[in-house]
Amino acid sequence: MTTPPAGWTDELARARLHFVTGKGGTGKTTLAAALALALAHGGRRVLLVEVEGRQGVAQLFDTEPLPYAEQRIASAPGGGEVRALHIDAEAALLEYFEMFYNLGFAGRTLRRMGAIEFATTLAPGLRDVLLTGKIKECVRRTESDGRYSYDAVIVDSPPTGRVVKFLDVTKALTDLAKTGPIRGQAEGVVRLLHSGETAVHLVTLLEEMPVRETVEAVAELDGADLRPGAVLVNRVRPPRLPARSITAAADGRVDASRVRDGLASAGLALDEETLEALVEETVEHAIRVAAEQRAREQLSEADLPTIELPDLTDGVDVAALYDLAEALLEQGVR
């Protein structure tokens, strides 16, 4: 069995644009936010971008819904800061009209007429290229001293089933637009997304469906010449049994009398009903641990750096995001 690279590689440390995807329910928004906090550690400025319209980032940081503007939402140890941006396709299109065609007033008129919705419906790829185009602008923007405005940009991306289409739609748009600003915009996005500056991280749980979808997404990314980054395994729970006991317990071979004697030596006396329930729970735990080990073996097929994040039994709040960021830093994220 291939052992995947551990932690955060030097190649990932050089990336400036990080897409975070995962099957719905795996916690991709949470880990995108935690990654932003980790990368802001030590005085860096990071932008956390949301593109799906759910306002999940605002909910995580317990703030008002994010506007189409970059605003500070958190600080990081060492003087770093995280800003957030909710990209709205309509606002991005109006900005595009104004930037390339000086159609600020006309763009607002088009919005009232419903023409923007019509345009993005007529050309479905246009919506995604507007979103990725705005992301590219944030990545490439510089300050008056020539330094990049952001050391890193993190994108809470569409789920694994749609992420390749989201990232690769610019190629199709380049084929459609032969000349003009939209062609140049699309080409610039393509170059960035297919460069070493970009990495696509995949969030999963140690469960069959998310793991299968993760492995399939890695193959899709490879096929589209997009660079998979790290696998972020979320909500990992520690095993409560010795490794040598897992197989037997998962098969239901738990000696109730030995459990009773062990508890008695610790001064605990249980009635038969409670002891039976404890044995049943032990078997269920062993079955889960064995299934998680099989999931780890399947994930190793992707041959990607893997980072495991703990299960937060008390739920996710702002303090928990900082705890997850610390766990990422401890495993080499930089």
Side-chain angles (χ1 to χ4, degrees), residues 118-188:
F118 174 77
T120 55
T121 302
L122 187 64
L126 179 58
R127 181 177 295 272
D128 287 343
V129 81
L130 289 168
L131 301 177
T132 52
K134 178 61 179 178
I135 291 167
K136 187 208 85 166
E137 186 273 322
C138 294
V139 172
R140 292 288 187 232
R141 190 190 310 151
T142 57
E143 300 297 305
S144 57
D145 61 1
R147 296 182 60 183
Y148 284 121
S149 298
Y150 294 105
D151 296 293
V153 175
I154 317 299
V155 184
D156 178 20
S157 309
T160 45
R162 294 194 291 110
V163 71
V164 171
K165 183 179 180 182
F166 172 71
L167 294 174
D168 212 33
V169 71
T170 47
K171 281 190 173 179
L173 193 58
T174 300
D175 292 337
L176 290 172
K178 301 303 181 184
T179 59
I182 197 168
R183 171 64 180 251
Q185 173 83 335
E187 287 181 339

Side-chain angles (χ1 to χ4, degrees), residues 28-217:
K28 69 178 180 67
T29 301
T30 298
L31 293 196
L35 180 59
L37 285 170
L39 291 178
H41 186 90
R44 303 175 84 201
R45 178 182 286 183
V46 173
L47 180 66
L48 175 60
V49 177
E50 183 174 51
V51 296
E52 291 188 279
R54 296 183 296 106
Q55 290 289 349
V57 170
Q59 293 174 33
L60 274 177
F61 286 94
D62 195 25
T63 66
E64 294 295 318
L66 297 172
Y68 184 61
E70 296 153 39
Q71 63 181 37
R72 188 176 183 275
I73 58 168
S75 59
E81 71 170 19
V82 176
R83 294 189 177 188
L85 171 65
H86 176 87
I87 302 182
D88 172 78
E90 181 178 278
L93 183 55
L94 292 177
E95 183 178 67
Y96 182 87
F97 283 156
E98 188 165 1
M99 184 182 302
F100 292 110
Y101 298 103
N102 296 317
L103 290 177
F105 177 76
R108 290 189 289 275
T109 303
L110 287 173
R111 179 173 58 185
R112 289 197 297 272
M113 294 171 57
I116 293 173
E117 184 177 354
F118 174 77
T120 55
T121 302
L122 187 64
L126 179 58
R127 181 177 295 272
D128 287 343
V129 81
L130 289 168
L131 301 177
T132 52
K134 178 61 179 178
I135 291 167
K136 187 208 85 166
E137 186 273 322
C138 294
V139 172
R140 292 288 187 232
R141 190 190 310 151
T142 57
E143 300 297 305
S144 57
D145 61 1
R147 296 182 60 183
Y148 284 121
S149 298
Y150 294 105
D151 296 293
V153 175
I154 317 299
V155 184
D156 178 20
S157 309
T160 45
R162 294 194 291 110
V163 71
V164 171
K165 183 179 180 182
F166 172 71
L167 294 174
D168 212 33
V169 71
T170 47
K171 281 190 173 179
L173 193 58
T174 300
D175 292 337
L176 290 172
K178 301 303 181 184
T179 59
I182 197 168
R183 171 64 180 251
Q185 173 83 335
E187 287 181 339
V189 172
V190 169
R191 283 194 298 272
L192 174 62
L193 298 188
H194 292 265
S195 74
E197 288 186 88
T198 300
V200 185
H201 309 294
L202 300 107
V203 178
T204 188
L205 306 177
L206 290 175
E207 297 173 4
E208 182 180 358
M209 288 299 293
V211 165
R212 183 187 305 166
E213 198 162 308
T214 297
V215 173
E216 291 172 354

Side-chain angles (χ1 to χ4, degrees), residues 237-241 246 285 288-289 292:
R237 293 167 289 184
R240 304 298 183 186
L241 293 171
I246 296 297
H285 175 76
R288 176 179 65 77
V289 171
E292 289 176 347

Side-chain angles (χ1 to χ4, degrees), residues 270-278:
L270 302 182
D271 57 59
E272 287 302 315
E273 183 178 353
T274 304
L275 181 62
E276 183 178 329
L278 181 59

Side-chain angles (χ1 to χ4, degrees), residues 160 202 204 208-222 231 295-304:
T160 45
L202 300 107
T204 188
E208 182 180 358
M209 288 299 293
V211 165
R212 183 187 305 166
E213 198 162 308
T214 297
V215 173
E216 291 172 354
V218 170
E220 279 192 75
L221 289 165
D222 284 337
V231 175
R296 284 189 176 91
E297 292 171 0
Q298 190 176 356
L299 280 175
S300 70
E301 297 173 12
D303 194 29
L304 293 177

